[in-house]
Amino acid sequence: MPELLLELFSEEIPARMQASGANDLLRLVTEALAPLNPRDATAFAGPRRIALSLTLDGTVPGTTIAERGPRDGAPEKALAGFTRKHGVTQDDLVLENGFWVLNRTISPVDAATRVAEILPPLLRRFPWPKSMRWGHGSAFTWVRPLRRILCLLDGEVVDAALVDGEDDGHGLRADRLTEGHRFTAPAAFPVTGTRDWRDGLRARQVLVDAAERRALIADGTARLAAEEGLRVVADPGLVDEVAGLTEWPVPFLGRIDDTFMDLPPEVMQVSMRVNQRYFALVRDDGSPAPRFAFVANLQPEDGGALTIAGNERVLRARFADARHFWDLDRSRPLASRVAALDAIVFHATLGSQGARVRRIVRLAGLLAPMVGAPAAEAERAARLAKADLTTGMVGEFPELQGVMGSYYARHDGEPAAVSTAIAEHYMPRGQTDGVPTAPVSIAVALADKLDSLTAFFAAGEKPGGSGDPYALRRAALGAIRIIRENALRLDLVRLFVLAADALPSALRDAPDLALLPGFVAERLRVQLRAEGARHDILAAISSGNEDSDITRLLARTDALVAMLATDDGKNLLAATRRAANILRIEDRKDGPHEGTPDPTLYEQPEERELANMLLDVIPAVEAAIADERYTDAMREAARLRPALDRFFEAVTVNADRAELRLNRLRLLAELRRMTVLIADFSQIEG
């Protein structure tokens, strides 16, 4: 089984594109070589190369293909067209079952020939998110200038080139050469296979395995920090990025000047991460340490002294800039910046950030009593929540929105609940982020998210397909999480109406506003599905139910899930589905079969038993649901199970006598009326 090694060596590939590029290469090559049964495939990605290694069959087997042509006796033109299409004569055809048939023999193709055929067109259509052209004489594009193509099959060079007619493909042709580290081993060297390639590059200070580079970075920085009694602030995304910037990662620690240690830790961490790709370190108690970790791309000859000093000098300049913004921003109260929001465009249709803030202030004040927050503090926090958008620090580091506003509010002497709400009103920022729990923070966070949803839907900016430029799915999920995790009792439809009342008059009756409850309900089902919960039961409970109290809907869902986990619940579900199917069929014939059953027409004891049980159970279920005693409601409904079993075993619903049939169908309609109080059982899976 021949081994295929393919390496595409280029100038530096952006770190964010490396993994996807290597995966695309592996996918496209394995698809193109499917007749050769590719297996044991591995992709590699690094700063200057993407590569793959796999094993193949040695040959695409030959085969015979029978292509059926016109029927015997068909017009001559039809037969002539078939032979012309395939470049044959009528003598090459045979008659089989009344049709002219061409039996074509396809010769075997060796793996090297097949690889050489598929490689040039595959590289020319490679799906980089962004590509570039360079030099002269070729329209070939790559993410960065492509310098070498290494392509070996069983140790032999595959005869493939990028030349395409007049396009010389930059003279790129497959070879067995690659290059080591740009600075320590730049000379080209030949390889004979995957193991030789990996070992040769390692000897020349290049690690081709991205996972190995990530481990060296994470473990190396953690070890250096632990030696000083510190730990690295977890940042998997930064580890991935640095692994995409270094071929031979060597971690070091640097020192932060004491004069900068009074900067907010978030400022220090973001400045180090965004500007320099440095890792922040903290003490055991979580307080920032006067140290930072960074990763060099080679092992310095002096042990790193000069490298450390240089990085400390660069960070000192970065922190001096941060210090300037920190001092300048605090020179004026945060509240004085609110007026400047009127000059910042939020959306062409929705107006300025200032107009948006006024909507959020109003909605936060309305929400405050619903979540147990003082209205004055909620309105104050909402008024200041976006003011830090005009500060120098947030202008430099947009990631610090809210965080800096909280610091500046605290500096100005604002109440603690207000400054905390300014920081927390963006929460949750992602799936792993927490939600605000303080009442004022909850009011402002919900007001912010509900205003975004209402305003953008009114402006016709609802998400479509995979597009969601205004992060409205995230806003909906954030609102859902805040409500769920704080067990809030809110009528979302009413809140959307209240939010819409503050919009420009032309937008208050926008048709897309009617889609908002369904949009949020779908996000809730998506969240439950991601948690492995019974989203189908939530859909069943929500069917025909205009209730938009998420906490109440989920309590009903949990109670029904618990009931259906019992034997009585499972059998009740089966029986009610059977009743619903009978009614659906019979209603099509001569329904609907509504009305109160006539007790005098009960002929069998099983009818009377079910009727009496329904007379007892229906009021009990109605009362329990009205009192939000959902477990009790499910328990009452489950009491019907024995009577239903006996009814279906003994009673023929479609009796020969019309009045008897009608009465029994009305009895089943009473059962359906009871189950609809709980859920649309037809939507429950399983």
Side-chain angles (χ1 to χ4, degrees):
M1 293 181 290
E3 173 198 76
L4 174 66
L5 171 62
L6 173 63
E7 179 202 65
L8 303 163
F9 179 84
S10 68
E11 299 298 329
E12 277 72 6
I13 305 168
R16 67 184 183 280
M17 298 185 189
Q18 292 169 18
S20 60
N23 291 333
D24 284 339
L25 179 66
L26 189 63
R27 173 180 57 83
L28 292 172
V29 169
T30 52
E31 288 174 358
L33 298 180
L36 289 166
N37 189 27
R39 52 206 177 272
D40 303 325
T42 305
F44 304 92
R48 294 198 295 161
R49 69 198 82 219
I50 59 172
L52 65 81
S53 172
L54 50 79
T55 55
L56 301 164
D57 292 342
T59 305
V60 178
T63 185
T64 300
I65 298 177
E67 297 193 38
R68 194 171 71 172
R71 186 184 297 275
D72 185 26
E76 287 296 324
K77 287 185 177 180
L79 186 59
F82 180 73
T83 56
R84 184 168 57 253
K85 172 185 174 183
H86 294 285
V88 296
T89 66
Q90 186 173 348
D91 293 339
D92 297 314
L93 308 181
V94 295
L95 271 173
E96 293 182 3
N97 299 319
F99 288 89
W100 289 103
V101 176
L102 173 62
N103 292 310
R104 304 183 63 183
T105 299
I106 299 178
S107 302
V109 178
D110 65 87
T113 300
R114 181 62 178 161
V115 172
E117 289 174 352
I118 65 101
L119 189 57
L122 183 150
L123 297 184
R124 285 186 174 274
R125 66 172 190 272
F126 198 82
W128 289 111
K130 291 184 178 180
S131 298
M132 62 177 292
R133 295 182 181 180
W134 67 95
H136 301 283
S138 178
F140 177 77
T141 64
W142 201 245
V143 61
R144 293 293 184 270
L146 187 63
R147 298 308 187 197
R148 295 185 182 278
I149 301 174
L150 183 154
C151 189
L152 300 178
L153 184 66
D154 221 18
E156 298 298 324
V157 175
V158 173
D159 186 15
L162 287 186
V163 62
D164 183 18
E166 297 296 321
D167 188 322
D168 68 0
H170 300 292
L172 289 166
R173 175 176 292 277
D175 204 336
R176 65 171 66 251
L177 298 177
T178 188
E179 296 180 22
H181 194 284
R182 179 184 288 278
F183 302 112
T184 62
F189 68 97
V191 299
T192 59
T194 301
R195 176 174 293 183
D196 183 40
W197 173 72
R198 296 184 67 157
D199 292 345
L201 285 171
R202 182 183 293 273
R204 292 164 176 83
Q205 295 190 338
V206 174
L207 299 177
V208 296
D209 190 338
E212 184 180 3
R213 298 197 303 274
R214 284 194 294 268
L216 276 173
I217 293 164
D219 296 345
T221 53
R223 176 180 51 78
L224 292 175
E227 290 174 358
E228 300 198 11
L230 307 174
R231 58 183 174 86
V232 180
V233 175
D235 195 339
L238 183 56
V239 172
D240 289 342
E241 185 174 6
V242 174
L245 296 172
T246 56
E247 293 184 310
W248 191 257
V250 182
F252 292 102
L253 290 190
R255 184 170 299 279
I256 299 172
D257 289 356
D258 292 340
T259 55
F260 298 118
M261 291 307 297
D262 63 337
L263 286 171
E266 296 90 345
V267 170
M268 297 170 66
Q269 183 175 345
V270 170
S271 179
M272 286 190 285
R273 187 193 200 285
V274 172
N275 289 326
Q276 300 303 133
R277 308 312 189 258
Y278 294 163
F279 295 87
L281 272 59
V282 294
R283 301 182 178 92
D284 287 339
D285 62 1
S287 61
R291 302 285 268 161
F292 68 96
F294 69 94
V295 179
N297 192 28
L298 52 80
Q299 179 64 59
E301 295 181 359
D302 64 355
L306 189 60
T307 300
I308 293 171
N311 281 273
E312 289 176 344
R313 184 170 60 254
V314 170
L315 187 59
R316 197 175 299 121
R318 293 296 188 186
F319 280 175
D321 291 341
R323 163 75 68 194
H324 168 73
F325 291 128
W326 173 241
D327 293 339
L328 183 64
D329 290 344
R330 291 182 300 161
S331 66
R332 54 182 291 198
L334 185 65
S336 70
R337 297 179 176 275
V338 174
L341 294 173
D342 286 327
I344 300 176
V345 175
F346 172 60
H347 183 272
T349 304
L350 299 171
S352 67
Q353 282 283 3
R356 180 191 183 202
V357 164
R358 288 187 283 276
R359 294 196 305 269
I360 296 173
V361 169
R362 172 183 170 275
L363 191 54
L366 295 172
L367 275 162
M370 303 179 193
V371 301
E377 289 190 345
E379 290 173 352
R380 180 65 174 175
R383 185 169 290 106
L384 300 177
K386 308 295 182 184
D388 65 357
L389 296 176
T390 68
T391 63
M393 191 73 81
V394 172
E396 181 74 9
F397 302 115
E399 301 90 337
L400 295 177
Q401 293 176 44
V403 173
M404 298 316 303
S406 178
Y407 276 109
Y408 299 146
R410 197 175 304 127
H411 175 266
D412 296 341
E414 297 287 348
V418 170
S419 59
T420 299
I422 293 171
E424 294 183 345
H425 85 281
Y426 287 107
M427 295 171 63
R429 296 174 187 263
Q431 292 182 350
T432 60
D433 195 17
V435 302
T437 56
V440 175
S441 299
I442 290 171
V444 181
L446 280 176
D448 181 47
K449 292 167 179 58
L450 296 180
D451 174 75
S452 290
L453 289 165
T454 307
F456 282 116
F457 266 68
E461 300 282 11
K462 64 182 184 296
S466 60
D468 188 9
Y470 299 104
L472 299 184
R473 293 188 180 98
R474 186 173 66 187
L477 284 171
I480 289 168
R481 283 191 56 200
I482 292 171
I483 292 170
R484 288 183 67 189
E485 295 179 33
N486 288 288
L488 301 177
R489 303 303 304 273
L490 298 173
D491 182 344
L492 275 179
V493 170
R494 177 170 172 252
L495 290 175
F496 286 136
V497 171
L498 292 174
D501 286 343
L503 293 172
S505 57
L507 299 177
R508 291 173 193 166
D509 296 321
D512 283 354
L513 285 173
L515 303 176
L516 263 175
F519 176 75
V520 175
E522 178 58 27
R523 292 301 96 199
L524 178 56
R525 286 193 286 272
V526 167
Q527 189 178 65
L528 292 180
R529 189 181 300 119
E531 295 170 1
R534 292 296 299 273
H535 58 90
D536 59 316
I537 293 181
L538 173 65
I541 284 175
S542 301
S543 179
N545 183 351
E546 296 183 356
D547 190 359
S548 63
D549 183 329
I550 288 175
T551 300
R552 183 161 52 217
L553 287 171
L554 291 177
R556 293 181 64 170
T557 300
D558 291 342
L560 183 52
V561 168
M563 184 186 79
L564 294 178
T566 67
D567 288 339
D568 281 349
K570 294 173 184 174
N571 290 327
L572 177 65
L573 175 62
T576 53
R577 281 176 169 172
R578 182 176 179 182
N581 287 335
I582 293 171
L583 281 170
R584 184 171 59 253
I585 294 169
E586 300 308 313
D587 282 350
R588 289 199 194 109
K589 296 178 182 177
D590 55 2
H593 299 90
E594 304 293 342
T596 303
D598 184 352
T600 65
L601 292 175
Y602 296 145
E603 290 192 344
Q604 296 177 238
E606 291 83 5
E607 291 178 273
R608 297 187 187 91
E609 180 189 19
L610 178 58
N612 291 333
M613 286 292 297
L614 285 170
L615 288 173
D616 184 35
V617 167
I618 290 176
V621 169
E622 289 176 332
I625 289 177
D627 295 339
E628 299 188 14
R629 294 181 286 107
Y630 302 118
T631 300
D632 292 344
M634 304 306 163
R635 188 183 302 114
E636 291 292 337
R639 288 171 51 206
L640 286 170
R641 178 260 176 116
L644 272 171
D645 289 347
R646 287 189 285 271
F647 177 86
F648 282 120
E649 287 174 3
V651 177
T652 301
V653 175
N654 286 315
D656 293 335
R657 290 165 50 196
E659 68 275 13
L660 198 59
R661 169 180 172 272
L662 175 60
N663 204 55
R664 290 172 178 175
L665 288 172
R666 284 178 172 174
L667 185 58
L668 292 186
E670 285 292 288
L671 172 66
R672 179 173 61 185
R673 183 169 71 85
M674 188 279 297
T675 59
V676 167
L677 294 172
I678 298 172
D680 179 357
F681 280 26
S682 67
Q683 294 199 34
I684 297 176
E685 300 173 359

